[in-house]
Amino acid sequence: MSSVGFAEAIDDAIAERMAVDPAILVFGEDVQLLRRNLYARFGAERVRNAPISEAAFLGAAVGAAMAGLRPVVEIMMADFLTVAVDALVNHAAKLADFSGGSWGAPMVVRVACGGGYGDGGQHEQSLWGWLAHIPGMAVVVPSNPVDAAGLMRTALAHDGPVVFLEHKLLADNWLEALGRGGRSGLEFDVPPAGARAAHPLPANRVAFGRASVVRSGGSLTLVSLGVGVHQALEAAEALAEDGISAGVIDLRSVSPLDRGCLVEQVGQTGRVVVVDEDYLRFGLSGEIAACLLEAGLRPRFARVATEGTIPFARHLERSALPNPDRVMRACRQVLSS
Amino acid sequence: MPADPWLIYRWMLASRLFEQEVARLWHAGLVSGEMHLGTGEEGIDAGVVTHLGEGDAMALDHRGTPPLLMRGANPVSLLREILGREDGLCRGRGGHMHLFIPELLSASSGIVGASGPMAAGFALASQQLRPGRVAVAFFGEAAMNEGALLESLNLAVAWRLPVLFVCKDNGWSITTHSPSMTGGALLARARAFGMPAADVDGTDALAVSAMTEALLPHLRQGNGPAFLLARCVHLDGHFLGDALLEAVRRPLQVLAPMAIPLARSALSRHGARFRDRSHAVTDLLTRAGRASSAARSLPDPLDRTRRALLGDPDRLRMLEATVAAEVRAVVDVALEETP
Ligand SMILES: Cc1ncc(C[n+]2csc(CCOP(=O)(O)OP(=O)(O)O)c2C)c(N)n1
Ligand SMILES: [Mg+2]
């Protein structure tokens, strides 16, 4: 049976829309090679290499979006968004509010993120909580090719800015270039169900702000996104062997956040473990706790997140990022009463 | 003082052999992540670093290993860092893109363009605390399109900061040919900020050294920054496993799996005009060749420096044997287990 990879699924969803919407342009550093299948089909006018000038081309995307285009801008890694973030924070995200709702910037910022291949703390950050902190832009983080394609279709129909984060352990082209580099025998914790899906993919959209309950369970709810979803599923399976029924929520979008789903699921179990590859403090995991409290719930709560700068060494990196052992420990902690 | 060609060659050779060992360890899977080597740019690094001394600072890019070795970094702890060991230079936290040596006022960054502002800050501290000392910013030609670097060129002029901006021009930014994404000429660009700028063949270490020597008094006397543009090649491509380089070396393995999806895309209904599509496909198929012929168009800086020393073959042989033995010893010690 043939299958489709994560990045390929996203590329195909973009191609699908580019074929019918001439307003869509793809640009970013090295995209002609990186997205060569789009380049070969849509040519150099619509698939443009950019200089290493993120502040300029991300800023230009905002202007282009305001003036009738629908740019898909690639920023190689979330870490590099930092040099250009004014375009998002002060401009794209503010436009609809500043203009009293009369003007929008429909654009997609496609960004590789995440760690697990030993590239160090300037190349492996997730930063989705940091981005989602800003009102006025959507931030989505798919965990598998089907959702990735479905979210990209929605992004390409959205009327405002969308940051679309693709994890490098799921997108095989990124892992190949940055982690493997043509070497054999290296091991990475690539979740098979996250990296590939059966061909053909369903052609539907995945709405923003709609989490997916990927496993139901009565005694504990694991909440995650991206690669963390697969670690949560692994933990849930291990718990099932001990007779504990754990459910798993795949958030899929950070902003908007599916508060209803969280409240409903955790309301049933009274125990929640958040698995979040972004930083621990002032981020998504705290937001989830707040949203449960605001809904009047008082669940047992634990979180597994990235606690500090991600170290380069693989063994240190492994313990700094969420991993199955840490997830299991957190589960036992909330179950222990 | 004109540079000692023997010392320069010794540095370049030590750096080359060291990085070849890094490559071997990386290929063996003992080094994780990306690996950007400075192989091919040693002439620039050596020609500049030979004029630095106590109190001078270096802001490095993602190819920081050669300048650090030349500046006197401990090669064992550097290699251990690259291997991700907790007894490494930065306790395994940094890796090859994030190397920091406070005693040498040397810091690297994996963020393109970051060395410009960093060097400006180092130079500000020199101006206030260590008059006469300078800061060097090393970066590639494509970084010259990064806003922060351009702003730092201006800042350095406005504040008369003693920064030597060293632009290592290999013509490529990963898979993008830099001239295709760069307006105007870099030398003119630097001059437009109001600083002296010179260009030099970066494969000629002695020429780089002479040019650096000519520029530095301007900085040390407190007259502000200067800019040095030096051409080079990166012999191991952008990083190890570089797809463009691999496409040249092993075209069938690299290009074959790309061919079917590419053809399918190029022939899909609804897309650009035929001419634009065929232009794109041709561009993709020839890009690797263009990258490699650019690489072959310049001499290896090591050979070039070596040629100046052929007059004393015995000394040369001895030097090469010594350096090779030293690097081997570094690798052996670095790989030892420590309790
Ligand atoms: C801000 C930022 N954008 C993009 C990258 C990804 N990147 C790493 S090296 C590189 C190319 C740099 O080209 P150049 O400055 O010419 O240096 P070279 O690698 O050729 O030595 C790019 C795009 C990055 N590290 N940082
Ligand atoms: Mg370059």
Side-chain angles (χ1 to χ4, degrees):
Chain A
M1 191 184 65
S2 71
S3 65
V4 184
F6 188 86
E8 190 186 349
I10 301 169
D11 289 357
D12 289 351
I14 294 173
E16 215 174 272
R17 292 303 307 159
M18 281 182 90
V20 294
D21 183 354
I24 300 176
L25 254 61
V26 173
F27 51 87
E29 292 149 30
D30 298 297
V31 290
Q32 290 181 341
L33 209 85
L34 203 56
R35 309 297 169 212
R36 56 186 167 271
N37 296 330
L38 297 179
Y39 178 40
R41 177 166 172 191
F42 298 103
E45 281 295 304
R46 293 180 69 194
V47 181
R48 297 182 173 229
N49 274 355
I52 315 185
S53 309
E54 290 89 354
F57 69 76
L58 191 55
V62 183
M66 292 168 70
L69 294 179
R70 185 182 282 281
V72 176
V73 195
E74 295 227 17
I75 299 286
M76 273 185 185
M77 298 194 202
D79 316 69
F80 312 155
L81 263 175
T82 56
V83 306
V85 80
D86 165 70
L88 290 178
V89 173
N90 289 318
H91 297 90
K94 298 287 185 285
L95 181 67
D97 287 334
F98 277 169
S99 66
S102 67
W103 214 349
M107 58 189 275
V108 182
V109 189
R110 181 177 180 184
V111 192
C113 73
Y117 62 99
D119 216 10
Q122 273 177 350
H123 285 69
E124 294 201 331
Q125 299 173 88
S126 294
L127 300 183
W128 47 65
W130 182 72
L131 292 161
H133 184 62
I134 306 302
M137 53 190 194
V139 179
V140 300
V141 187
S143 71
N144 61 73
V146 174
D147 285 350
L151 286 166
M152 181 52 85
R153 290 188 192 103
T154 304
L156 290 172
H158 194 67
D159 52 12
V162 180
V163 182
F164 188 103
L165 291 152
E166 56 184 305
H167 200 290
K168 281 167 272 168
L169 288 188
L170 302 179
D172 55 356
N173 61 325
W174 281 124
L175 186 60
E176 178 54 42
L178 306 171
R180 208 170 264 121
R183 298 174 288 179
S184 50
L186 294 184
E187 284 185 23
F188 303 99
D189 294 327
V190 174
R196 302 200 73 82
H199 177 83
L201 299 182
N204 61 304
R205 289 185 189 174
V206 171
F208 292 173
R210 269 303 169 70
S212 147
V213 179
V214 288
R215 182 185 174 109
S216 45
S219 14
L220 160 69
T221 306
L222 287 137
V223 182
S224 193
L225 70 176
V227 163
V229 169
H230 303 278
Q231 295 176 348
L233 283 168
E234 204 180 309
E237 262 153 47
L239 290 169
E241 282 170 22
D242 296 348
I244 299 160
S245 137
V248 177
I249 298 178
D250 180 351
L251 289 172
R252 304 195 289 197
S253 98
V254 183
S255 179
L257 186 64
D258 191 345
R259 292 165 200 275
C261 174
L262 286 168
V263 169
E264 188 192 315
Q265 295 294 314
V266 177
Q268 289 166 17
T269 61
R271 292 188 189 86
V272 59
V273 170
V274 181
V275 182
D276 177 13
E277 192 178 324
D278 200 4
Y279 296 121
L280 178 73
R281 304 283 169 198
F282 309 100
L284 175 62
S285 59
E287 180 62 27
I288 290 171
C291 118
L292 297 171
L293 289 173
E294 283 165 355
L297 301 180
R298 296 291 179 268
R300 296 266 299 161
F301 177 90
R303 49 183 169 165
V304 179
T306 300
E307 299 201 3
T309 299
I310 303 166
F312 162 70
R314 285 304 302 277
H315 66 288
L316 299 173
E317 174 201 40
R318 189 184 144 79
S319 45
L321 297 176
N323 63 49
D325 302 337
R326 291 181 62 198
V327 176
M328 279 305 283
R329 240 177 296 138
C331 291
R332 303 235 179 267
Q333 186 193 324
V334 297
L335 288 163
S336 71
S337 64
Chain B
M1 212 174 51
D4 172 5
W6 288 95
L7 181 66
I8 289 216
Y9 181 62
R10 173 183 243 286
W11 281 0
M12 292 171 70
L13 180 63
S15 175
R16 176 68 59 86
L17 296 179
F18 183 94
E19 289 203 302
Q20 282 172 350
E21 289 296 328
V22 170
R24 188 177 61 76
L25 294 165
W26 183 89
H27 280 292
L30 297 175
V31 179
S32 70
E34 301 167 79
M35 178 49 65
H36 312 83
L37 298 181
T39 49
E41 66 167 66
E42 298 96 337
I44 307 173
D45 301 326
V48 170
V49 171
T50 188
H51 296 287
L52 303 182
E54 178 79 30
D56 291 330
M58 297 196 301
L60 306 162
D61 63 4
H62 48 295
R63 306 186 196 276
T65 301
L68 283 175
L69 286 172
M70 295 170 186
R71 199 67 189 82
N74 178 333
V76 171
S77 70
L78 196 57
L79 189 52
R80 285 182 171 165
E81 182 59 32
I82 291 169
L83 287 159
R85 289 171 47 140
E86 294 193 53
D87 53 4
L89 181 65
C90 306
R91 297 171 47 230
R93 268 48 172 197
H96 85 284
M97 280 191 280
H98 317 107
L99 299 166
F100 295 87
I101 309 186
E103 307 80 57
L104 294 176
L105 283 169
S106 296
S108 52
S109 175
I111 302 300
V112 169
S115 64
M118 179 71 72
F122 285 159
L124 178 60
S126 295
Q127 200 182 53
Q128 301 297 311
L129 307 174
R130 289 175 290 274
R133 306 324 303 183
V134 303
V136 179
F138 285 103
F139 51 87
E141 82 295 336
M144 276 292 282
N145 293 323
E146 191 65 85
L149 178 57
L150 291 169
E151 291 175 26
S152 71
L153 292 173
N154 182 60
L155 183 70
V157 172
W159 287 358
R160 295 168 82 87
L161 299 173
V163 182
L164 180 63
F165 291 98
V166 178
C167 180
K168 305 169 292 171
D169 179 6
N170 73 326
W172 287 85
S173 165
I174 315 188
T175 70
T176 301
H177 191 217
S178 291
S180 73
M181 284 295 125
T182 307
L186 296 184
L187 208 59
R189 214 188 254 192
R191 287 199 181 117
F193 282 102
M195 70 178 86
D199 68 342
V200 66
D201 178 351
T203 67
D204 183 347
L206 299 176
V208 175
S209 167
M211 197 58 87
T212 305
E213 190 176 13
L215 291 171
L216 279 179
H218 175 82
L219 280 75
R220 297 210 189 271
Q221 288 155 18
N223 299 319
F227 186 91
L228 182 63
L229 177 67
R231 268 166 298 126
C232 69
V233 275
H234 285 130
L235 299 170
D236 290 284
H238 177 72
F239 45 21
L240 292 180
D242 183 330
L244 278 187
L245 217 62
E246 291 301 313
V248 175
R249 290 179 183 157
R250 308 179 297 133
L252 277 183
Q253 285 101 313
V254 176
L255 296 177
M258 298 181 182
I260 291 174
L262 202 64
R264 199 187 306 129
S265 301
L267 299 173
S268 296
R269 285 180 57 211
H270 307 298
R273 288 170 308 175
F274 173 76
R275 202 159 50 97
D276 297 339
R277 298 187 195 206
S278 81
H279 179 271
V281 173
T282 316
D283 173 39
L284 285 169
L285 295 177
T286 55
R287 199 173 292 224
R290 277 183 286 139
S292 81
S293 66
R296 281 193 307 268
S297 67
L298 290 177
D300 183 332
L302 215 61
D303 297 341
R304 193 159 178 178
T305 312
R306 186 176 193 274
R307 238 177 289 136
L309 307 177
L310 286 173
D312 192 343
D314 292 338
R315 184 175 173 192
L316 187 58
R317 220 171 309 131
M318 187 119 97
L319 173 79
E320 289 176 339
T322 309
V323 171
E326 280 170 8
V327 171
R328 263 197 313 277
V330 163
V331 176
D332 289 345
V333 175
L335 289 173
E336 269 167 23
E337 287 307 321
T338 44

